[in-house]
Amino acid sequence: MRALPRLAIAALLVAIPAAAVTVTVAAHAADDPTPITVLTSDFEDGTVQGWSGRSAETVAHSTAQAHGGTGSLLVSGRTAAWQGPSLDVLGTFEKGTAYTISVWVRMASGSDNARLSVERRAGGVAAYDQVVGNTAVTSGSWVNLTGRYTLASDVEFLRVYVETSSTTGSLHIDDVTASYVPALPIQTGIPSVKDVVTEFPVGAAITGAEIVTEHGQLLNKHFDSVTPGNALKWDATEPSENNFTYAQADPLMAYAKANNLAVRGHTLVWHNQTPSWVFTGADGQPMTATAEDKELLLARLENHIRNVAAHYGTDIGVWDVVNEVIDESQSDGNRRSSWYNVTGLDYIRTAFRVAREVAPHAKLCINDYNTNVAAKRDHLFNLVSTLKAEGVPIDCVGHQMHINVNWPTIADTESMLTKFIPLNIDQQITEMDVSIYTSNSENFTTPPADRLLKQAYVYRDMFALFRKYPAEITSVTLWGLADDNTWLDTFPVTRKDAPLLFDTRLQAKQAYWGVVDPSKIETSPSPSSPSASVSTSVSPSVSVSPSASVSPSTGTSACAVTYRITGSWPGGFQGEVKVGNTGTTALTGWNLNWQFTGGQKITQLWGGSPVQTGAAVTVTNASWNGNLPAGGSTTFGFLGSWTGTNPVPAAFTVNGTACAVL
């Protein structure tokens, strides 16, 4: 997985005001009639109401702070960041029900990032499910963490808890609730995606939540295959050396077999979600590029693949053998992961060689994100070409396709596909989702109708493109089943996204009709506008400069441009440009031109097609946003590199006409 959708590697950090801030990862407001509350902790009776610490910390009623009323729960004496308030919900939560859990958090002093999670145990083995990721919390205001959680299997231990990411300061919680909305039956009278799209199998990434109750019914109706999203990764299957466990994956595999669903194995080698012991040498120190460390690391890699791939044998027909090995910012295109730094490319060679020996029946893939970006695509092509020429058994290239409603273009995506045709290997769309967000500063309380309409068109056009290449594309997998469980709710910032074909109550969206029958897409969107909620970063270590723009120019013009820097980090930044037609005649296509004066380079752009020659930049409209009526506007975003300074361009032209700069 994962793959950064890569609107930005860094997220926009927003200062928290003195008033309470709500950071919500909740269901679509319109989808949630009459929730039923099963848990309330308001701490107004002078007791801890069943809450306890996770270790030796002190949990006590407090009147020093209160979100509502006069009392809260104070947790003090913490000696580790994972310690915090915990509540037993084993007799409260029912398997297969999606609960919305809400808790208000406030530091007693200082600041940190807080998380809301669930610990569950089955057969004495503990597992941890994150409900809300790192969210900035201070002593100056209450912050609300809200997320959805579905218990997918039988357990003997189940507790909700709050922890922090780094410090051990005291914290308060208050007004905790858990509720659910009674499930809707799935729509059985609509076409199944797998019956309409017959050129290749269509799959979904799953967790345990997708194989129970109505979720399992939806999965079986519409999809041919599944990908365990996290259950086959190294941290889940070999948490300590030679300690192999398949507690997370086995239930998913059993479900797939019982329901005749093919399985894509994800993933044998990745630089993330790999335990630190893997890269620790025999001397207890981090590995370096010595012969001894290289030999040990490759031996661990071989042992891991021989065990995991052999455990499932022919039940897994496709493996993502290596994941995200390309970094287009490097001159040679190779990601400087611990794998590469210790072994060079030998870890890739070893992984494919061993996978072929253990799983000779399986298609073996190299998987990466942003392969529709020319630089990344070309580096991946060159790597695969080189390795195949050496005899490395790479059978397919996986294109993740974490995209959004404005990016990428169909032309760029088709170039991605046609680039690899000469290699005569399979191509698979492995992790597709379409975010409704086009920048990290946006946060919608309800998905706007116009974004959902754009999303439907993106799904329509992308699937139409994929279906043009049935000889090359051998499967398409969506990175999730429905909007109630998507990784984009916590990445790149904490906010509710809606990137899939079915909504939070498992009902078909316009995106579904974009795939199944585009003639049924509704065409009356309302304009989108960000909510007043604050978006907070999941990468607090990244420094971000304030949004930058130039002063308004004087005079009149037929166009107006707003250029903003929405995020910045060492060596890179994210920008957003709004192009407005202030004339009286509609534009049927546009080219925006400007000059970078600080040596900046565009590395990725969505909502248009860029060409940069030296300092000169030209951005041409995408197919869907070229028509600008009088008074109309459109916005595109981009990632760029910079060194030294990052000045804002002083002037812009549209179709050769100078524009007002706002």
Side-chain angles (χ1 to χ4, degrees):
M1 153 186 159
R2 172 209 57 168
L4 310 170
R6 272 87 169 178
L7 295 182
I9 297 172
L12 180 63
L13 292 173
V14 182
I16 299 178
V21 176
T22 300
V23 183
T24 302
V25 185
H28 305 173
D31 292 341
D32 279 351
T34 321
I36 297 173
T37 300
V38 299
L39 166 66
T40 300
S41 295
D42 60 8
F43 308 110
E44 293 302 301
D45 62 0
T47 75
V48 299
Q49 297 183 350
W51 289 77
S52 61
R54 303 185 70 210
S55 183
E57 65 269 44
T58 300
V59 174
H61 180 267
S62 172
T63 57
Q65 296 287 351
H67 172 257
T70 60
S72 67
L73 187 74
L74 173 65
V75 184
S76 59
R78 301 170 63 231
T79 58
W82 58 266
Q83 296 175 2
S86 170
L87 181 69
D88 182 6
V89 292
L90 181 61
T92 304
F93 286 8
E94 296 183 359
K95 185 172 69 173
T97 297
Y99 293 94
T100 297
I101 309 172
S102 171
V103 57
W104 289 87
V105 184
R106 181 172 183 154
M107 300 300 295
S109 63
S111 62
D112 203 340
N113 284 284
R115 296 189 290 262
L116 174 63
S117 302
V118 171
E119 179 181 0
R120 54 186 166 85
R121 298 178 192 169
V125 178
Y128 305 90
D129 302 315
Q130 190 172 102
V131 180
V132 179
N134 281 348
T135 303
V137 180
T138 72
S139 60
S141 62
W142 287 93
V143 173
N144 180 233
L145 308 182
T146 300
R148 291 168 67 95
Y149 179 74
T150 301
L151 176 64
S153 59
D154 293 328
V155 295
E156 70 262 5
F157 179 100
L158 191 69
R159 298 186 73 94
V160 174
Y161 65 92
V162 175
E163 62 182 342
T164 56
S165 65
S166 56
T167 68
T168 58
S170 300
L171 59 88
H172 295 266
I173 66 168
D174 200 3
D175 293 335
V176 183
T177 62
S179 61
Y180 71 95
V181 175
L184 289 177
I186 71 164
Q187 297 154 291
T188 58
I190 60 176
S192 298
V193 173
K194 63 185 179 182
D195 292 339
V196 174
V197 182
T198 58
E199 291 84 354
F200 38 72
V202 182
I206 61 170
T207 66
E210 278 71 50
I211 63 173
V212 292
T213 61
E214 290 81 7
H215 289 82
Q217 298 169 24
L218 187 71
L219 179 65
N220 293 342
K221 174 174 173 57
H222 289 285
F223 295 100
D224 300 291
S225 70
V226 294
T227 300
N230 287 293
L232 289 172
K233 292 175 181 172
W234 199 309
D235 58 351
T237 54
E238 193 185 2
S240 58
E241 190 158 15
N242 271 323
N243 174 29
F244 290 93
T245 174
Y246 304 99
Q248 294 185 47
D250 277 355
L252 306 184
M253 294 297 300
Y255 184 90
K257 180 175 286 190
N259 291 276
N260 296 314
L261 295 166
V263 179
R264 294 191 79 261
H266 179 83
T267 175
L268 294 172
V269 186
W270 191 27
H271 60 277
N272 282 333
Q273 290 183 244
T274 302
S276 59
W277 67 261
V278 177
F279 305 114
T280 300
D283 59 358
Q285 299 301 310
M287 289 182 171
T288 59
T290 65
E292 294 78 11
D293 282 348
K294 178 177 180 178
E295 181 181 7
L296 177 59
L297 184 55
L298 293 179
R300 286 173 174 169
L301 172 62
E302 179 168 349
N303 183 60
H304 179 80
I305 294 175
R306 289 194 183 280
N307 278 273
V308 176
H311 180 77
Y312 292 109
T314 58
D315 290 343
I316 294 180
V318 180
W319 275 103
D320 288 332
V321 178
V322 296
N323 192 48
E324 299 179 8
V325 303
I326 298 298
D327 178 359
E328 64 271 37
S329 69
Q330 300 290 337
S331 60
D332 59 7
N334 296 315
R335 180 181 293 278
R336 295 315 195 254
S337 65
S338 295
W339 291 110
Y340 182 85
N341 290 338
V342 177
T343 75
L345 293 178
D346 282 348
Y347 77 99
I348 301 178
R349 298 181 177 103
T350 299
F352 276 97
R353 174 183 60 79
V354 176
R356 173 63 82 229
E357 292 177 13
V358 179
H361 63 283
K363 292 284 186 181
L364 305 181
C365 301
I366 185 170
N367 190 49
D368 222 314
Y369 65 90
N370 281 7
T371 50
N372 37 35
V373 175
K376 189 150 202 172
R377 174 197 71 205
D378 292 348
H379 280 305
L380 181 60
F381 176 88
N382 292 338
L383 176 63
V384 175
S385 298
T386 298
L387 293 177
K388 282 185 66 66
E390 296 175 3
V392 177
I394 301 175
D395 300 319
C396 84
V397 168
H399 307 289
Q400 291 184 4
M401 288 295 289
H402 293 290
I403 62 178
N404 68 61
V405 293
N406 277 7
W407 174 86
T409 66
I410 293 296
D412 285 343
T413 307
E414 186 163 22
S415 295
M416 170 191 81
L417 298 176
T418 56
K419 176 73 176 182
F420 290 90
I421 291 176
L423 294 182
N424 193 31
I425 59 175
D426 288 2
Q427 298 188 63
Q428 298 190 352
I429 308 302
T430 58
E431 304 183 17
M432 185 177 184
D433 45 29
V434 182
S435 173
I436 62 172
Y437 295 104
T438 60
S439 76
N440 291 342
S441 59
E442 293 182 321
N443 188 2
F444 303 123
T445 54
T446 301
D450 64 331
R451 294 295 175 94
L452 295 178
L453 179 60
K454 278 187 177 182
Q455 183 185 68
Y457 291 149
V458 171
Y459 271 111
R460 176 197 67 183
D461 295 344
M462 287 297 177
F463 265 78
L465 173 64
F466 300 155
R467 295 171 79 175
K468 283 176 55 180
Y469 292 91
E472 282 73 38
I473 296 178
T474 56
S475 76
V476 172
T477 297
L478 302 179
W479 204 245
L481 177 65
D483 289 343
D484 66 327
N485 188 12
T486 167
W487 74 295
L488 292 177
D489 284 350
T490 56
F491 187 90
V493 294
T494 299
R495 59 190 175 185
K496 186 72 193 92
D497 210 328
L500 299 164
L501 303 185
F502 301 94
D503 67 19
T504 58
R505 301 195 74 197
L506 313 188
Q507 305 301 291
K509 295 164 52 183
Q510 294 206 65
Y512 159 85
W513 291 110
V515 173
V516 170
D517 185 354
S519 70
K520 290 185 170 60
I521 298 175
E522 298 174 6
T523 57
S524 56
S526 59
S528 62
S529 59
S531 75
S533 300
V534 173
S535 296
T536 55
S537 170
V538 296
S539 300
S541 63
V542 179
S543 62
V544 178
S545 59
S547 298
S549 61
V550 296
S551 302
S553 62
T554 58
T556 60
S557 176
C559 53
V561 173
T562 302
Y563 178 104
R564 297 193 311 130
I565 297 173
T566 59
S568 184
W569 55 95
F573 71 103
Q574 180 177 345
E576 183 177 86
V577 181
K578 180 179 180 181
V579 182
N581 180 5
T582 57
T584 58
T585 304
L587 295 177
T588 57
W590 51 266
N591 288 297
L592 176 68
N593 294 271
W594 74 82
Q595 295 275 332
F596 276 134
T597 59
Q600 304 99 315
K601 300 289 185 182
I602 288 180
T603 58
Q604 176 183 325
L605 188 142
W606 50 94
S609 299
V611 174
Q612 182 170 356
T613 304
V617 177
T618 299
V619 178
T620 303
N621 62 269
S623 59
W624 54 268
N625 66 357
N627 294 323
L628 290 183
S633 64
T634 189
T635 300
F636 63 85
F638 66 92
L639 297 180
S641 63
W642 64 284
T643 56
T645 61
N646 189 13
V648 172
F652 300 85
T653 63
V654 168
N655 297 345
T657 300
C659 300
V661 182
L662 304 179

